[in-house]
Amino acid sequence: MRDQKQTPHSGYHWAGEENRFFEGWYYRVTLPEINQTFAFMYSIDDPAGGTPYSGGAAQILGPDDEYFWRTLPNVNGFFAHYTSLGLGHWQKRPLASFPRELTRNQFNQQIEEGYQATATLNQGKLYHPPTQNWVTWEYEINPIYGWGDTHRPQKATAGWLSFLPLFEPGWQILMAHGLATGYIQWQGKTYNFTNVPAYGEKNWGRAFPAKWFWINCNAFTDEPDLALTAGGGRREVLGLGEEVALICFHYQGKFYEFVPWNSEVSWEIHPWGEWKMSAIAAELSVEVMGTTDRLGTLLRAPTEQGLKFCCRDTMQGQVHLKLYQRNGKVLLEASSNNCGLEVGGIPWSGIWVNE
């Protein structure tokens, strides 16, 4: 990712401590022509080793929300860059080698099983012992939007306070929108793609969210330049819980940011099936509505007891976004059937409303 597109928090956050810590990365490509998405989730827990939760994992959400899971238990097979986006995990280390970023050809020739990912590449090959299936992938990424206005320094998703160890967990959109070219081999089928929508984000910390929700789409019908990320959760600030949410999107080179420090953000999130958000700022207002009739897929997420099934996702949700002036004039309206929708900290007892 070129320097002007690299976001804060792109580097690895672990500082060598032995107490509880996790970091996770999320890469996604959407294939609008077939209404399918691949989401790759990489994580490391307690990288110092020696705890019941130490180790890494890779999760993949594939076509029709099908789930793939592989543990990479040896923390010594993991690496990550501290000053830029780059990470990888090898299941087995070649003799006399140490985990590091490789060229694509080196990875293919030398690494039997594992993954590596940067701002411009996502590559891997993982085996699923229960089904004896392999998943392999390799695609290049051309970043278009980081997190902020084009040609300006990129922003921290949680604002300037995220540079201090106040918020747990941390959350950063690494690339709100990019274009991916390459292939994914899944269940015996090869998916080749050229310049399809790509996305990336990460989280990290020592505390874990009690509940959260997420809406994400950068494959809008007739609006290829529009990239939306919205979400909220209950997180820790100086040991106290607070509920926060945001609605942000990039469009035609401009970053629209509706966040707690400049807007009134409201939401009504059902335990599953319906995500309704709105925000009012000084001059603009926005509404986002996500829905799905799919059952969704349970995914593992970080908890105090390591990765556990505690969130539900679909990558085939419907979303409708509307931006308008305070006088009611509509400035932008867009929809998609390729939206990522998630609730976490499940099960919820009822509708989560914040007005």
Side-chain angles (χ1 to χ4, degrees):
M1 186 178 291
R2 295 187 297 272
D3 287 345
Q4 69 266 28
K5 296 242 179 73
Q6 178 166 297
T7 63
H9 303 297
S10 290
Y12 190 32
H13 286 78
W14 183 56
E17 66 269 34
E18 296 185 1
N19 55 322
R20 192 77 180 88
F21 178 85
F22 80 93
E23 195 146 349
W25 296 260
Y26 179 95
Y27 285 72
R28 191 187 70 230
V29 292
T30 300
L31 311 180
E33 290 185 359
I34 59 172
N35 191 32
Q36 298 290 357
T37 290
F38 288 89
F40 300 83
M41 293 152 274
Y42 309 129
S43 59
I44 187 74
D45 271 270
D46 293 355
T51 79
Y53 316 121
S54 294
Q59 302 177 76
I60 306 173
L61 195 58
D64 296 320
D65 295 334
E66 190 174 358
Y67 182 64
F68 177 96
W69 154 258
R70 182 65 160 140
T71 58
L72 299 129
N74 185 358
V75 295
N76 294 321
F78 177 83
F79 74 90
H81 301 324
Y82 283 92
T83 58
S84 62
L85 177 57
L87 67 146
H89 206 152
W90 303 348
Q91 187 73 289
K92 296 178 182 178
R93 292 164 54 179
L95 290 175
S97 68
F98 61 94
R100 65 195 187 281
E101 186 179 330
L102 302 174
T103 68
R104 290 186 294 171
N105 287 338
Q106 285 175 330
F107 182 90
N108 286 327
Q109 294 169 6
Q110 300 176 23
I111 305 306
E112 179 180 330
E113 184 179 8
Y115 70 84
Q116 63 176 7
T118 69
T120 57
L121 175 71
N122 185 19
Q123 179 181 22
K125 42 189 170 181
L126 292 173
Y127 180 64
H128 189 237
T131 61
Q132 298 184 343
N133 286 330
W134 282 86
V135 179
T136 61
W137 64 96
E138 183 181 318
Y139 62 86
E140 293 183 338
I141 306 165
N142 177 26
I144 295 176
Y145 293 126
W147 193 248
D149 287 331
T150 305
H151 306 309
R152 290 188 179 183
Q154 299 302 284
K155 296 186 174 187
T157 301
W160 68 268
L161 281 173
S162 66
F163 290 95
L164 304 174
L166 299 180
F167 290 128
E168 299 279 10
W171 182 39
Q172 177 70 52
I173 312 306
L174 298 166
M175 183 184 68
H177 183 52
L179 296 176
T181 297
Y183 73 88
I184 300 168
Q185 293 177 334
W186 175 274
Q187 301 289 11
K189 182 176 180 179
T190 300
Y191 297 81
N192 294 294
F193 47 88
T194 302
N195 290 333
V196 301
Y199 172 83
E201 67 174 49
K202 70 182 299 188
N203 56 14
W204 69 94
R206 297 158 191 81
F208 305 87
K211 57 194 282 193
W212 69 91
F213 59 90
W214 179 78
I215 306 169
N216 178 264
C217 182
N218 61 339
F220 282 88
T221 305
D222 300 325
E223 293 289 358
D225 189 53
L226 175 60
L228 164 72
T229 301
R234 182 171 178 82
R235 64 180 180 178
E236 294 274 316
V237 183
L238 296 176
L240 302 175
E242 72 162 358
E243 294 185 355
V244 292
L246 56 78
I247 302 171
C248 297
F249 59 93
H250 295 76
Y251 183 62
Q252 296 182 347
K254 181 174 174 56
F255 182 50
Y256 293 83
E257 186 180 34
F258 296 86
V259 288
W261 52 89
N262 69 14
S263 309
E264 296 180 13
V265 185
S266 304
W267 62 86
E268 179 183 310
I269 313 297
H270 290 237
W272 183 251
E274 189 172 313
W275 293 250
K276 186 184 299 183
M277 297 184 69
S278 63
I280 301 174
E283 299 178 358
L284 300 173
S285 297
V286 65
E287 296 176 353
V288 176
M289 180 71 175
T291 58
T292 184
D293 57 5
R294 299 181 66 90
L295 295 177
T297 298
L298 286 174
L299 300 179
R300 292 169 169 92
T303 74
E304 292 288 353
Q305 292 78 41
L307 290 176
K308 300 290 184 183
F309 283 115
C310 62
C311 65
R312 185 179 295 274
D313 281 62
T314 181
M315 293 294 117
Q316 294 185 312
Q318 290 76 50
V319 66
H320 187 82
L321 180 149
K322 181 189 282 188
L323 175 72
Y324 51 95
Q325 294 177 336
R326 292 294 295 272
N327 63 10
K329 179 182 178 182
V330 177
L331 302 177
L332 172 66
E333 193 164 3
S335 299
S336 176
N337 294 321
N338 290 284
C339 182
L341 298 169
E342 177 179 271
V343 293
I346 54 178
W348 292 358
S349 57
I351 301 173
W352 184 6
V353 178
N354 185 296
E355 298 177 335

